[in-house]
Amino acid sequence: MSRDRDHASERTIELRHLRCFLAIAEEGGVTRAAARLHLTQPAVSRTLAALEAALGVRLVDRSTHHLALTPEGRAFREKAAVAVTAFEDALAAARTVRRPLRLGHAWSAAGDFTTPLLRRWRQTHPDVPLELLRIDDRTAGLTRGAVDVALLRGPVDAPGLVTELLHRETRVAALPSDSPLARHTALTLADLRDQVIALNTVSGTTSLDLWPTGARPTVTLPVANTDDWLAAIAADQAVGVTSTATVRMHPHPGVAYVPLTDAPPLPVRLARREGPGHPSAPALIALAHEVAGES
């Protein structure tokens, strides 16, 4: 009988299993996850193994040189993150001091509205700290529970999200500062057709579909984040297309920004997950609309 009880306890999934798995997924390895959780590496490995045994699936591929999540692991990561966030929200609702409200973005935050929004929030909600987090993925960490609200640009097609339009930004060309094109006061998309186009394939919104058929560039340079995108342009390896928010949030001595007259504006949306979330999320969304509407 005791053996059956021990076996049943090994199959019980607890919050610590989810936290451990999420730490491994976010840190990209057991060693860093152990340091983050203040546990030993063997303890983290055992916890992961117990979670996989309870679920009956392999979550982490251990056959590769670098730790990688299996397809089942990637799917479970989103569910685990939502579960942990829901647990934290339940506790926060019962506490005098709430946990920080996390606002995610992949790049450029809210552009010109960023500083006014952060300042106004601190003035009107001093009891709820607001954390601005840059996370390089298409939903800025929202689908995996890393943030409570996200500022997202371009199309948003991830399931389980509720979005609303905040405003629209005009687009600009990003060019090496010594490029002949940088001397123009305005450009068209066709002016860039013979250039190498830097494309942020992780969190960016520009694709070759932005250009009219028959006038599309043929060579691209994939990058993984805004920093690499800026570095490639400054080094005269490529040019890029972005929004006016980048001009304000990412000035660079080696990059010049020139307005594009025929590129469609870029929508900026506020997004949150469906269902219960951080209790202060609605207030942040309302304040963002208020700040944007004052411009």
Side-chain angles (χ1 to χ4, degrees), residues 70-160:
T70 64
E72 294 80 8
R74 290 193 294 272
F76 183 70
R77 177 181 182 176
E78 295 183 7
K79 303 297 184 183
V82 170
V84 171
T85 300
F87 176 80
E88 293 173 346
D89 287 339
L91 293 182
R95 292 173 176 162
T96 302
V97 179
R98 295 174 176 173
R99 71 165 175 82
L101 176 61
R102 301 162 299 179
L103 175 61
H105 69 106
W107 48 276
S108 296
D112 286 347
F113 306 133
T114 304
T115 298
L117 176 60
L118 297 179
R119 286 177 174 269
R120 288 274 289 278
W121 181 264
R122 185 177 179 183
Q123 294 167 359
T124 57
H125 298 80
D127 58 327
V128 183
L130 177 60
E131 296 180 352
L132 182 66
L133 303 174
R134 173 181 152 185
I135 299 178
D136 291 312
D137 69 42
R138 283 295 300 127
T139 67
L142 189 61
T143 56
R144 54 187 173 93
V147 299
D148 306 293
V149 181
L151 289 155
L152 305 180
R153 289 175 169 83
V156 179
D157 54 10

Side-chain angles (χ1 to χ4, degrees), residues 104-284:
H105 69 106
W107 48 276
S108 296
D112 286 347
F113 306 133
T114 304
T115 298
L117 176 60
L118 297 179
R119 286 177 174 269
R120 288 274 289 278
W121 181 264
R122 185 177 179 183
Q123 294 167 359
T124 57
H125 298 80
D127 58 327
V128 183
L130 177 60
E131 296 180 352
L132 182 66
L133 303 174
R134 173 181 152 185
I135 299 178
D136 291 312
D137 69 42
R138 283 295 300 127
T139 67
L142 189 61
T143 56
R144 54 187 173 93
V147 299
D148 306 293
V149 181
L151 289 155
L152 305 180
R153 289 175 169 83
V156 179
D157 54 10
L161 300 185
V162 178
T163 67
E164 51 190 271
L165 181 67
L166 179 62
H167 67 110
R168 299 181 189 273
E169 299 168 341
T170 56
R171 300 198 202 221
V172 297
L175 310 157
S177 57
D178 57 354
S179 167
L181 292 175
R183 295 195 290 268
H184 291 238
T185 58
L187 295 169
T188 66
L189 289 169
D191 292 326
L192 306 179
R193 64 179 300 177
D194 296 327
Q195 304 292 316
V196 177
I197 307 297
L199 299 179
N200 181 344
T201 57
V202 176
S203 59
T205 57
T206 301
S207 72
L208 294 184
D209 291 337
L210 184 65
W211 278 260
T213 303
R216 291 175 180 168
T218 58
V219 184
T220 63
L221 177 65
V223 297
N225 54 57
T226 302
D227 295 330
D228 293 348
W229 181 84
L230 287 167
I233 295 169
D236 198 18
Q237 297 174 347
V239 304
V241 174
T242 186
S243 76
T244 49
T246 306
V247 182
R248 313 290 197 275
M249 300 295 290
H250 298 282
H252 193 291
V255 177
Y257 297 101
V258 178
L260 284 169
T261 60
D262 61 344
L266 185 62
V268 181
R269 294 182 173 87
L270 289 160
R272 60 177 177 80
R273 292 185 302 277
E274 291 179 341
H278 194 291
S280 296
L284 176 62

